[in-house]
Amino acid sequence: MSEKEIKKPSQVSGENTEKKEEYSLSDDRRVKVLSPGALVAKRFFRNRLAVTGMVILIAMFVFSFIGGLVSPYGQDEKFYRYDIQTKDYAGIIHNEEFRYTVGDKDLFKSTVQAQVFLNIQKGNEKFDYKGTTYELEKISDDVYIIHCQGKVVGIASKEMVNSSSNEEKSLSFDMTLASLTAKAKGDDSFTVDGKKYTLDEDGVIFNESGKEIGYVSAYVVRPIMSDVFFTREFKNQLIDAVERGDESFKFTDDNGNEAEYILKYDAATKAWDVKQGTATRVFDTYASPSKEHWLGTDRNGMDMLTRLMYGGRISLIIGFIAVAIESIIGVIMGGIAGYFGGWVDGLIMRLVDIFYCIPSMPLFIILGAAMDAANVPPMIRMLYLMLILGFLGWAGTARLVRGQILSLREQEFMTATEAGGIAVSRRIFRHLIPNVMPQLIVVMTMGLGSTIIMEATLSFLGLGVRFPFASWGNIISDVNDTYVLTNYWFIWIPAGILLLVTVLAFNIVGDGLRDAFDPKMKR
Amino acid sequence: MRKYIIKRLIQSLIILFFVAFIIYALMRCLPTSYVEAMARQKSMQPGSKSYEEWLAQLSAMYNMDGSIVSGFFQWLGQMLRGEFGDSWKWTVPVTQKFHETVWLSFVMGLISFILELIIAIPLGVIAATKQYSKTDYAISVIALAGISLPTFFFASLLKLVFSVKLGWFDLYGLVGRNYDLLSPMGQFMDKANHLVMPIITLVVISMGGLMRYTRTNMLEVLSADYIRTARAKGLSERKVIYHHAFRNTLIPIVTIVGGSLPGLFSGALITETLFAIPGIGFASYQSMVSGDIPFSMFFMVFTAILTLLGNLIADILYAVVDPRVRIA
């Protein structure tokens, strides 16, 4: 590139419009002079397809390198959600049958209880059983008191009296009798053994000091597990829910644990099954796209969009480093071979032939499997991957560089460098290699695309980049699970499209660059 | 010509020797625990020999006890006698497994190769004759997209559309669930049905390169002097393109097609693996992942031979097809 030709295009065009008429035909200033570099750029930017590719590449770099910084989430930040796990907790029945409370064991046996039931059905007030006379005193439709030999021997009722305290499972018979009677008659207080008790609308029994000691209810609540004791509040809420016909309710116990309870009516047994739902913290796996996670979350509950950004970063970095390695080796080997020729050339070119011939994909797979066996840490693994990709790919670059240099070294400017006594290394790397640069850049750009595909394929097979690092290839590898393939498009389609578009853009830009560098080659 | 071929053959053999040595050396340099793990695994199998015995046997079998160079020559000697040993993964001789799998791969490769030729060459010619038109751009972009498309992503898309959504094909495998109940014709159709998606994948992935190659060469021919002459003497455009230009474009195409013929035997490693088609590619993938050294070694040397053979055929064809090329 000669120095005198460099001028800013804007200046040139400005001068042209203003002073067009002043210059004579032979004036040099009439001619717009552009450096070879500017000419290449101009030709490149005239190619609309190539510019599109360039824009895509820039967008991809911004997405991968800046996106990761902008994203509120980390590369391997896990997200959780609460999952409700239900277990059988209790059963509740609304009592429709008479239940018997026994006051005198000898006179109110179960056979007598059966008789009582029959006679209540018939509407009798008195009956004889085995020579003993029993009297039925009706308090209400639901409560009967059974007298025998002048004393109360039992109660038949549809409601039950339960104790509120944990220690005493049941209340005394007198207490039961008095409270049932009071409830049936609609009284709000009663007296037992000289102590006064009050009864509220819900059937709760309080003693004189206002302490709750029990309650009357037609609902029977039994626990599924024997170690569970239901508090009065819980039962109240449960019964309320049943009466309202709710399907679920929330309850916070004394220890402050909130849980959701789900009610289900079973028509066959006329009972409600109560299930306790306890919230468990689980990984938010395969969550659908939402405001928080634009592309959902992956198998480990990590934000997909963020993973894609970091994945792009890794895919691009691996591509760049691998291509850099193969270009450096290729340029050195090709440069030496092309410049010296003879036996050096022969030797290096046979080496190139050998490397050309090594089946790379099988080799990568074997090395990947060997690294698996040796438990290489993911970070080191990535380094190896770049080195191997680079080291096996230099043969093509070397061949290209050698071919170019073979023709270049016969040209006059090389004779001039020789006459000028310039050192050999300087002749190769200052005068020959820069002339190979155009072809080299094209090959490198295209090589980036294929290296990224190679890395993605290896990662897809689980032999390249490993968790916790993301790469577009290993993100897509979730498809190996057919369920993911079928149901979670957002896991693998975005990564595949990014991969395709990036590689396509590299190829398009490479094509555009080739056309721009060498218009004769444009085909 | 004969002299040239002999020279190239000797050259190829020397290259093959070194490639084999590199492959062997790499295999030997793998962590030693690899062979040990293999021996441990083998000794776990019911009724098997003890771990030490296996280790000693495996080491002796693969000449692991000597130096790399002596081990390589021993292995080379065995190979030249056609003894590739028994596959660890498949527990049959390597050559037997090779015979079982290679033909399926070859058939699959051949069909997709023919389809590729039928699609890519005409499209490349059309793109070249209508340079800078919309058709040309469309074909160029399709070709580039084919090159840029990652095999596994395209295969997954095919599976999603044709297996999951439409239910036309099975997701994996070569034969369906009720293969054994079918008539011979039905069995053939079943296999054909299972090969449709892998073949589509192979064709789409590989046709881009050939399309671009055809286009470039056709453009080169179209700018040649004899085409201008043909046009100048008033031939129809049809005749110019299909009679004069296309025939000359065929020279490089025949070369590259001939050169890729041996590659049909090496199978499609990735595609076969993705669709679980039991060809040589899938078999070697499984062998490589499970550390089956005999089969992997065989496969890699085999692939290297195919590559060399391809290059040789391409060079010879070049001289045979194009009378302008004379080789001393």
Side-chain angles (χ1 to χ4, degrees):
Chain A
M1 286 171 212
S2 53
E3 316 84 67
K4 62 156 193 180
E5 289 171 336
I6 299 168
K7 244 183 206 178
K8 279 186 183 167
S10 62
Q11 275 182 344
V12 173
S13 64
E15 280 170 7
N16 272 1
T17 47
E18 282 169 28
K19 304 178 186 171
K20 214 171 208 169
E21 303 90 71
E22 293 170 30
Y23 300 137
S24 72
L25 266 180
S26 59
D27 197 321
D28 274 352
R29 280 171 294 181
R30 281 187 73 252
V31 185
K32 198 160 117 186
V33 184
L34 290 175
S35 71
L39 274 173
V40 167
K42 206 179 143 198
R43 278 198 295 266
F44 181 80
F45 286 112
R46 215 186 288 150
N47 183 343
R48 242 186 283 158
L49 197 61
V51 171
T52 317
M54 198 77 196
V55 170
I56 292 175
L57 279 188
I58 291 170
M60 216 51 87
F61 274 88
V62 170
F63 176 77
S64 308
F65 288 91
I66 301 177
L69 304 175
V70 175
S71 162
Y73 310 124
Q75 173 174 208
D76 43 13
E77 186 178 345
K78 293 184 172 79
F79 293 91
Y80 300 90
R81 71 185 141 93
Y82 285 93
D83 204 20
I84 289 176
Q85 290 179 329
T86 55
K87 58 180 182 194
D88 284 327
Y89 189 64
I92 175 165
I93 305 170
H94 185 260
N95 192 31
E96 302 286 340
E97 287 164 11
F98 282 106
R99 294 186 172 240
Y100 307 96
T101 316
V102 182
D104 188 319
K105 272 184 221 160
D106 299 327
L107 289 169
F108 198 60
K109 290 175 186 156
S110 54
T111 45
V112 182
Q113 291 171 9
Q115 289 296 321
V116 169
F117 177 68
L118 283 174
N119 286 293
I120 290 173
Q121 297 294 84
K122 285 179 196 156
N124 296 340
E125 289 189 351
K126 232 184 219 179
F127 66 92
D128 290 333
Y129 183 73
K130 290 196 174 165
T132 323
T133 307
Y134 295 88
E135 280 171 42
L136 295 174
E137 183 196 345
K138 182 174 174 178
I139 310 294
S140 74
D141 281 346
D142 291 345
V143 181
Y144 290 84
I145 297 173
I146 297 98
H147 299 270
C148 180
Q149 297 166 355
K151 61 177 181 181
V152 177
V153 292
I155 315 160
S157 65
K158 286 186 182 170
E159 290 182 309
M160 275 139 299
V161 180
N162 304 288
S163 165
S164 287
S165 77
N166 291 359
E167 292 85 44
E168 286 178 72
K169 290 281 177 200
S170 58
L171 297 171
S172 70
F173 180 74
D174 289 343
M175 205 43 215
T176 310
L177 177 66
S179 53
L180 278 175
T181 317
K183 179 96 195 307
K185 285 181 177 160
D187 298 343
D188 56 1
S189 65
F190 57 92
T191 314
V192 177
D193 297 336
K195 285 180 187 157
K196 203 180 167 203
Y197 296 92
T198 49
L199 192 67
D200 72 3
E201 297 161 355
D202 293 332
V204 186
I205 307 156
F206 299 96
N207 63 9
E208 280 173 318
S209 53
K211 187 174 172 281
E212 177 186 325
I213 56 163
Y215 55 93
V216 184
S217 165
Y219 286 97
V220 183
V221 182
R222 63 190 158 74
I224 300 285
M225 278 161 296
S226 54
D227 58 338
V228 178
F229 179 78
F230 300 123
T231 60
R232 170 80 193 127
E233 280 157 275
F234 175 74
K235 281 186 183 174
N236 264 347
Q237 285 220 16
L238 183 58
I239 289 161
D240 284 351
V242 166
E243 282 173 349
R244 278 197 306 271
D246 288 354
E247 289 194 337
S248 67
F249 68 97
K250 281 207 168 76
F251 178 74
T252 313
D253 68 14
D254 297 340
N255 302 329
N257 298 328
E258 190 182 280
E260 191 174 17
Y261 296 88
I262 296 150
L263 294 170
K264 209 178 152 213
Y265 184 65
D266 184 6
T269 54
K270 291 184 177 171
W272 284 266
D273 289 329
V274 182
K275 286 194 164 126
Q276 186 186 37
T278 28
T280 332
R281 210 162 94 112
V282 293
F283 288 142
D284 192 7
T285 55
Y286 297 129
S288 294
S290 61
K291 252 184 204 160
E292 291 83 47
H293 306 294
W294 290 359
L295 283 174
T297 56
D298 70 358
R299 183 177 42 182
N300 303 301
M302 299 175 184
D303 183 58
M304 208 61 229
L305 192 64
T306 312
R307 291 288 283 176
L308 283 179
M309 288 167 181
Y310 282 91
R313 195 184 283 194
I314 285 176
S315 290
L316 288 172
I317 288 178
I318 289 183
F320 270 100
I321 294 182
V323 167
I325 293 173
E326 68 180 47
S327 302
I328 290 170
I329 304 178
V331 165
I332 292 175
M333 297 297 245
I336 292 171
Y339 184 80
F340 291 106
W343 68 270
V344 180
D345 182 30
L347 188 74
I348 291 180
M349 285 337 275
R350 292 298 81 75
L351 201 62
V352 165
D353 283 339
I354 290 169
F355 269 85
Y356 229 71
C357 201
I358 293 177
S360 49
M361 198 69 199
L363 200 62
F364 291 141
I365 292 173
I366 290 174
L367 291 176
M371 282 197 266
D372 270 358
N375 281 327
V376 180
M379 191 72 202
I380 308 292
R381 212 188 152 94
M382 232 149 62
L383 277 174
Y384 278 138
L385 187 67
M386 291 183 237
L387 287 176
I388 298 166
L389 280 171
F391 191 66
L392 282 176
W394 62 271
T397 318
R399 223 173 235 185
L400 173 100
V401 172
R402 171 191 173 258
Q404 288 292 318
I405 285 181
L406 273 183
S407 70
L408 283 172
R409 73 169 184 183
E410 302 301 327
Q411 291 184 10
E412 287 87 352
F413 75 94
M414 285 315 291
T415 323
T417 56
E418 211 172 334
I422 296 171
V424 171
S425 66
R426 206 172 153 77
R427 257 185 266 165
I428 297 179
F429 293 107
R430 289 287 300 170
H431 293 272
L432 285 176
I433 301 294
N435 279 299
V436 187
M437 267 335 250
Q439 283 86 351
L440 200 61
I441 290 174
V442 171
V443 168
M444 280 166 78
T445 318
M446 299 263 205
L448 264 172
S450 53
T451 310
I452 289 175
I453 287 200
M454 185 64 113
E455 179 272 322
T457 308
L458 286 174
S459 302
F460 177 82
L461 294 173
L463 301 164
V465 178
R466 274 295 182 82
F467 187 81
F469 295 103
S471 111
W472 288 337
N474 74 16
I475 289 172
I476 306 178
S477 72
D478 268 9
V479 200
N480 287 334
D481 181 352
T482 312
Y483 193 71
V484 175
L485 172 76
T486 318
N487 295 299
Y488 304 120
W489 63 270
F490 52 86
I491 298 292
W492 61 281
I493 297 220
I497 290 173
L498 284 179
L499 190 57
L500 169 63
V501 166
T502 309
V503 177
L504 189 60
F506 272 121
N507 282 331
I508 288 176
V509 169
D511 243 22
L513 280 176
R514 174 167 47 205
D515 293 349
F517 278 129
D518 190 356
K520 278 177 294 176
M521 283 292 290
K522 188 167 187 182
R523 304 198 196 284
Chain B
M1 188 73 189
R2 179 181 293 163
K3 218 174 146 191
Y4 172 75
I5 294 176
I6 291 172
K7 192 184 146 203
R8 282 296 310 266
L9 266 176
I10 293 171
Q11 222 173 49
S12 301
L13 281 178
I14 295 170
I15 293 171
L16 186 64
F17 175 81
F18 282 107
V19 169
F21 180 72
I22 289 178
I23 295 173
Y24 183 82
L26 270 171
M27 285 292 189
R28 279 287 298 267
C29 292
L30 291 179
T32 46
S33 63
Y34 213 55
V35 171
E36 285 163 16
M38 208 61 226
R40 198 171 298 122
Q41 198 184 324
K42 282 191 135 349
S43 63
M44 295 286 189
Q45 286 165 0
S48 183
K49 287 177 272 191
S50 74
Y51 168 68
E52 283 77 17
E53 274 177 80
W54 264 117
L55 191 63
Q57 192 197 335
L58 290 178
S59 298
M61 203 168 165
Y62 299 100
N63 313 312
M64 297 287 189
D65 20 19
S67 74
I68 288 185
V69 178
S70 72
F72 172 64
F73 281 105
Q74 283 182 29
W75 174 77
L76 198 68
Q78 286 173 355
M79 206 180 71
L80 289 176
R81 268 173 272 136
E83 293 164 15
F84 293 97
D86 292 346
S87 160
W88 293 352
K89 160 103 183 151
W90 311 101
T91 59
V92 291
V94 165
T95 39
Q96 186 191 332
K97 185 69 192 170
F98 169 71
H99 279 295
E100 284 169 11
T101 52
V102 73
W103 296 108
L104 177 63
S105 286
F106 178 71
V107 169
M108 200 171 94
L110 190 66
I111 296 173
S112 46
F113 190 59
I114 292 170
L115 285 175
E116 187 193 324
L117 293 182
I118 294 174
I119 297 170
I121 294 177
L123 283 181
V125 170
I126 290 171
T129 51
K130 297 181 178 172
Q131 199 185 5
Y132 300 134
S133 69
K134 277 199 178 123
T135 327
D136 180 29
Y137 274 117
I139 291 175
S140 298
V141 170
I142 289 173
L144 270 181
I147 296 173
S148 314
L149 205 55
T151 316
F152 56 93
F153 180 58
F154 185 64
S156 302
L157 280 179
L158 280 184
K159 281 182 184 176
L160 180 68
V161 174
F162 293 106
S163 302
V164 177
K165 300 280 180 214
L166 297 174
W168 290 356
F169 307 111
D170 283 359
L171 276 174
Y172 301 104
L174 178 65
V175 293
R177 204 172 292 166
N178 47 5
Y179 177 76
D180 292 332
L181 306 174
L182 296 169
S183 62
M185 188 59 198
Q187 290 188 338
F188 175 76
M189 290 310 289
D190 189 46
K191 280 188 175 176
N193 184 51
H194 282 82
L195 283 179
V196 170
M197 285 205 299
I199 288 176
I200 293 177
T201 312
L202 281 179
V203 171
V204 170
I205 297 296
S206 56
M207 71 179 179
L210 188 62
M211 223 185 264
R212 278 162 62 87
Y213 190 74
T214 312
R215 179 176 176 270
T216 314
N217 282 297
M218 188 76 182
L219 282 175
E220 197 168 331
V221 170
L222 281 175
S223 64
D225 290 342
Y226 55 84
I227 295 296
R228 201 184 313 143
T229 312
R231 283 189 176 130
K233 73 180 184 185
L235 289 180
S236 68
E237 189 63 21
R238 220 184 127 76
K239 189 136 188 168
V240 170
I241 287 169
Y242 293 102
H243 203 254
H244 291 246
F246 182 60
R247 287 175 129 197
N248 282 296
T249 314
L250 278 179
I251 294 172
I253 293 177
V254 165
T255 312
I256 204 172
V257 165
S260 44
L261 279 178
L264 297 181
F265 287 97
S266 68
L269 207 151
I270 304 294
T271 311
E272 283 176 20
T273 307
L274 291 173
F275 289 100
I277 300 293
I280 181 96
F282 188 40
S284 55
Y285 173 76
Q286 285 171 299
S287 306
M288 287 185 271
V289 171
S290 58
D292 179 355
I293 292 180
F295 197 88
S296 313
M297 287 287 288
F298 170 79
F299 179 71
M300 282 171 63
V301 173
F302 177 66
T303 323
I305 293 174
L306 291 179
T307 314
L308 284 170
L309 206 60
N311 289 345
L312 195 62
I313 291 177
D315 286 352
I316 294 170
L317 270 181
Y318 191 54
V320 170
V321 178
D322 192 342
R324 286 170 299 185
V325 178
R326 283 279 165 264
I327 296 163

